[in-house]
Protein backbone atom coordinates (compact mmCIF):
# COMPACT_ATOMS: atom_id res chain seq x y z
CA UNK A 1 0.00 0.00 0.00
CA UNK A 2 1.33 3.43 -0.87
CA UNK A 3 0.46 6.55 1.11
CA UNK A 4 1.33 10.24 0.88
CA UNK A 5 2.61 11.52 4.20
CA UNK A 6 0.99 14.70 5.50
CA UNK A 7 3.36 15.02 8.50
CA UNK A 8 6.86 13.82 9.35
CA UNK A 9 6.79 10.29 10.78
CA UNK A 10 9.83 8.96 12.64
CA UNK A 11 11.63 6.09 10.90
CA UNK A 12 9.25 6.31 7.92
CA UNK A 13 9.62 9.59 6.05
CA UNK A 14 9.03 13.28 5.81
CA UNK A 15 5.92 15.26 4.90
CA UNK A 16 4.87 15.16 1.21
CA UNK A 17 6.72 11.92 0.50
CA UNK A 18 5.08 8.91 -1.12
CA UNK A 19 6.04 5.81 0.88
CA UNK A 20 5.13 2.15 0.73
CA UNK A 21 3.80 0.68 3.99
CA UNK A 22 2.02 -2.46 5.04
CA UNK A 23 -1.73 -2.13 4.61
CA UNK A 24 -2.55 -2.62 8.31
CA UNK A 25 -0.11 0.09 9.39
CA UNK A 26 -1.54 2.48 6.84
CA UNK A 27 -5.22 1.77 7.46
CA UNK A 28 -5.08 1.39 11.25
CA UNK A 29 -2.47 3.95 12.27
CA UNK A 30 -1.37 6.50 9.66
CA UNK A 31 -4.64 7.40 7.95
CA UNK A 32 -6.92 7.61 11.03
CA UNK A 33 -4.43 9.81 12.89
CA UNK A 34 -4.07 12.17 9.93
CA UNK A 35 -0.42 11.37 9.24
CA UNK A 36 -1.10 10.18 5.70
CA UNK A 37 -3.63 9.81 2.90
CA UNK A 38 -4.05 6.91 0.51
CA UNK A 39 -2.02 7.43 -2.68
CA UNK A 40 -4.76 7.00 -5.28
CA UNK A 41 -4.34 8.28 -8.84
CA UNK A 42 -6.27 11.47 -8.13
CA UNK A 43 -4.41 12.07 -4.86
CA UNK A 44 -1.09 11.65 -6.67
CA UNK A 45 -2.07 14.20 -9.32
CA UNK A 46 -3.16 16.69 -6.67
CA UNK A 47 0.05 16.08 -4.73
CA UNK A 48 2.20 16.65 -7.84
CA UNK A 49 0.38 19.90 -8.58
CA UNK A 50 0.85 21.16 -5.02
CA UNK A 51 4.56 20.28 -5.11
CA UNK A 52 4.98 22.00 -8.49
CA UNK A 53 3.30 25.18 -7.18
CA UNK A 54 5.40 25.08 -4.03
CA UNK A 55 8.64 24.78 -6.06
CA UNK A 56 7.59 27.68 -8.30
CA UNK A 57 6.83 29.85 -5.27
CA UNK A 58 10.20 29.04 -3.67
CA UNK A 59 12.03 29.86 -6.91
CA UNK A 60 10.24 33.19 -7.16
CA UNK A 61 11.15 34.08 -3.57
CA UNK A 62 14.80 33.14 -4.20
CA UNK A 63 14.92 35.34 -7.31
CA UNK A 64 13.47 38.28 -5.36
CA UNK A 65 16.02 37.73 -2.59
CA UNK A 66 18.84 37.73 -5.17
CA UNK A 67 17.59 41.05 -6.59
CA UNK A 68 17.47 42.59 -3.13
CA UNK A 69 20.93 41.24 -2.30
CA UNK A 70 22.33 42.71 -5.54
CA UNK A 71 21.18 46.19 -4.49
Amino acid sequence: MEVILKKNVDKLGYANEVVKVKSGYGRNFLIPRGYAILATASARKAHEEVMRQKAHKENKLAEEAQKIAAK
Side-chain angles (χ1 to χ4, degrees):
M1 156 183 254
E2 289 189 341
V3 295
I4 301 171
L5 296 177
K6 294 167 81 177
K7 299 179 182 177
N8 294 344
V9 179
D10 291 338
K11 300 180 183 178
L12 184 60
Y14 298 103
N16 297 319
E17 275 188 308
V18 177
V19 294
K20 194 168 194 170
V21 295
K22 292 191 176 189
S23 59
Y25 183 57
R27 271 187 273 132
N28 297 324
F29 182 76
L30 295 174
I31 294 172
R33 289 195 167 91
Y35 293 136
I37 58 171
L38 189 59
T40 61
S42 62
R44 285 178 188 261
K45 285 183 181 181
H47 174 65
E48 289 173 8
E49 181 63 28
V50 167
M51 295 306 292
R52 190 172 336 118
Q53 288 177 2
K54 185 177 179 181
H56 179 70
K57 189 179 215 181
E58 288 175 357
N59 288 337
K60 195 172 187 179
L61 287 174
E63 288 175 8
E64 290 177 14
Q66 290 292 334
K67 287 180 185 177
I68 292 172
K71 289 181 183 180

